[in-house]
Each structure stands twice: as structure tokens, then as C-alpha cells.
Amino acid sequence: MRSLVVGTGSYAPAKVLTNADLEKLVDTNDQWIRERTGIRERHIAAPEEASSDLAFHAATRALAMAGLDPADVEMIVVGTVTPDYPFPSTAVVLQGRLGNKKAFAFDVSAACAGSMYALSVADRFITSGACKNALVIGVDTLTRITNWKDRNTCILFGDGAGAMVLKGTGEANRGLSTIRLHADGSLVSMLLQPGGGSREPLTAETMAAGRQYVYMKGTEVYKVAVRALAEVCHEVLEAEGLKPADVTYVIAHQANKRILDATLQRLGIPAEKCWMNLEKYGNTSSASVPTTLDEANRAGWFKPGDVILMMAIGGGMAWGGAVLRW
Ligand code: UT7
């Protein structure tokens, strides 16, 4: 038994923030942002839109494509680091919003790798026969924890949600065949939201010091990202007995165009095989991989049996790679 992706969906909030808009907020310019990151604009959640609201729209689209009634979903797992509430989970809020009573629901926290971690967890429930279907979401509203005075980070992030519906299949050569996850907890200080948890609860002092915002050592993250992504991609391809040349398409976390170009170059995979959308969304964290999968899917990229290489990395550091046979 393998997990087959039978529906995809995504959602980006209506408001768009361009590089020109950012020039008015911090000392930056459109050319620097485009050349260093590949980003032109990003979407920003409205004040009344929480992560579960974004997730709801993406989920509804994916379920419609799958032809699955929301009431019949058996499992909901959401990858996010910007939940609606510290608790309960965004997955539970989403379950209520979908009018579902059947599914168990929980969040996983792996920053930008959240959707890969969520996909892996759901896959285990499907392949073990514990669930017949699963709704996997990646959603983040990182702009809620962005310091709009920090030009090192505020140019990078956008809000969004992506969804995948999984079902079990016995078909040979189709479905999620290998998925591998990794983490390196010695790198926690490289990319994190220091305040707001049990270590530094939010107080007037911690907030005045900006501890509620994303903090990142960008150049170091960049180096770790390229090495880790290339390694995990080699690992999953080797596990399948595949070579980079066997890959039909790449679906990757959209962090930075230079990270993706460098990773693809290391793998020897042409850039045309990788669906890119960070130009219009920026880095949407956990939403990135399922949104990218959905766009490529709706554009008609995939046919049964295609070998899709998936990868993501985020704060922790935490990362993962997968081979999905469409
Ligand atoms: O999912 C993982 C999430 N994180 C990431 O993907 C981030 C990975 N890292 C990156 O994408 C890159 O490191 C950045 C895009 C964040 C930065 O690019 P960089 O080439 O590593 O630049 P840098 O930090 O080395 O900065 C180069 C210069 C510095 O000026 P000086 O010291 O050379 O005078 C920065 O102060 O660029 C300056 N700078 C900016 N200039 C204009 C930094 N941010 C900006 C900005 N606009 N927004």
C-alpha cells in the first residue's frame, strides 16, 4: 500500500506587497531583492484572516479535486509554525470549519519543512492501513511574526496555504515511495522565533526587544540549506535506485532562487524541471511545497508514473526529501 496524491489545492491571500512597497518600509530596493532572492512580490493575510482560514480555502479546493466529502476525511495533519492559537491545534480548528466529526487532527512543527514532515506522518497512517485517506496541509502566516524594520528578513516572507489529499493505492509504481526526514538541533539559533514560548514568554520587555519576530542568520542558513537539500535528494533517489536524470519534475520549498539553483546544479537537474513561484509568493514556509505542487498539477505538468522529487528545509534546522510517483 502506498499513498497517492488524489487532490491538491492552494490559497494566497488577496493583498499583495511588492518590492516597491518594501522600499518604503526599509532601506532596500527592488533590484537587490530580485537578484539576491528572486522575489518580486508576496501575499499578506488580512487582519481577520488566521492560518486556519487560509488552510480552509486550500483544503476545500484539494477535497473538491479529490471528490472527497469534507465529512469523510479520516485524518488532518497541519504543518505550521504560525497556528491560530498556541493551543488547540490549527488542524482541530480546521476540522471544525470543514464540518468534519470523523477525523483526528493535529499540527506538526518543522518550520519551512512542515509540509514534508506532515506528509511523512500522514503517509505512515495510510500505508499502515490505519486511515483510508488524509488531508495534509502546509500553512503559515509568517508576516504576522515578521519584523517590518528588519531588511534581512522582511523581504523574504509571504503568507499562504497548500493542501494535499492522500488515499491508499495498491497500484505498482505510483504514490509516495520514499520519504526521509532529518534535523540538526545544534542549529536552533540560526533561524527561530525566540519569544512567545515557555523560554521567553511575551512581556512588555521581550516585546520591546523584538523577541516575538523571526530571527535569522541568512548567510549561514543559505549554506546549510544547499548542502542539506542536495544530500537528502541524493539519499531518496539512491533509495529508489534512481539517478537525477530519472527525475521528471522537482517540487521544492521556495526559499530563495539562488538556493534552488545551487541545489539543482549540485544534483545536475536542469532548472526547467523545477516549478518556481517564489517570484509572486516569496517564502511561504510550510505552504510552499503543497502550493507549488498544486500549481504544477493544475498546469497539467504531471502524468501517471512521473518521478517527482520533493524537498524542503526550515528552522531547526529540519529538512526532508521525497520521491513521489504521480
Ligand atoms: O526556508 C529557509 C528560510 N530562510 C532562507 O531561505 C534564507 C536563506 N538566506 C538567504 O536567502 C540570503 O542569505 C539572504 C537573501 C537573506 C541574504 O542574502 P546574502 O547574499 O546572504 O546577503 P548578506 O546577508 O550577506 O548581505 C549582503 C549585504 C549586507 O551589506 P554589507 O554588510 O555588505 O554592507 C547587508 O546588510 O546586503 C545587505 N542587505 C540588504 N541590502 C538591501 C541585507 N538585506 C538587504 C536588503 N536590501 N533587504
Side-chain angles (χ1 to χ4, degrees), residues 26-29 32-33 36-37 112 151-152 155-157 191 216 218-219 221-222 253 255-256 258-259 283 313-315 317:
V26 286
D27 179 14
T28 190
N29 59 77
W32 191 97
I33 301 172
R36 300 280 177 138
T37 70
C112 300
R151 68 176 184 170
N152 292 297
I155 55 149
L156 294 172
F157 303 119
L191 176 53
M216 181 179 70
T219 312
V221 169
Y222 184 98
H253 169 47
N256 178 318
R258 289 189 302 145
I259 291 179
N283 178 345
I313 184 162
M317 303 293 287

Side-chain angles (χ1 to χ4, degrees), residues 182-187 190 218-236 258-267 311-314 316-321:
H182 294 281
D184 185 346
S186 71
L187 305 178
M190 226 179 243
T219 312
E220 289 164 50
V221 169
Y222 184 98
K223 288 181 199 152
V224 173
V226 174
R227 182 180 43 76
L229 288 173
E231 275 174 15
V232 77
C233 288
H234 277 305
E235 182 188 345
V236 294
R258 289 189 302 145
I259 291 179
L260 282 178
D261 286 346
T263 304
L264 293 170
Q265 201 175 9
R266 280 192 184 206
L267 292 166
M311 62 176 110
I313 184 162
M317 303 293 287
W319 64 98

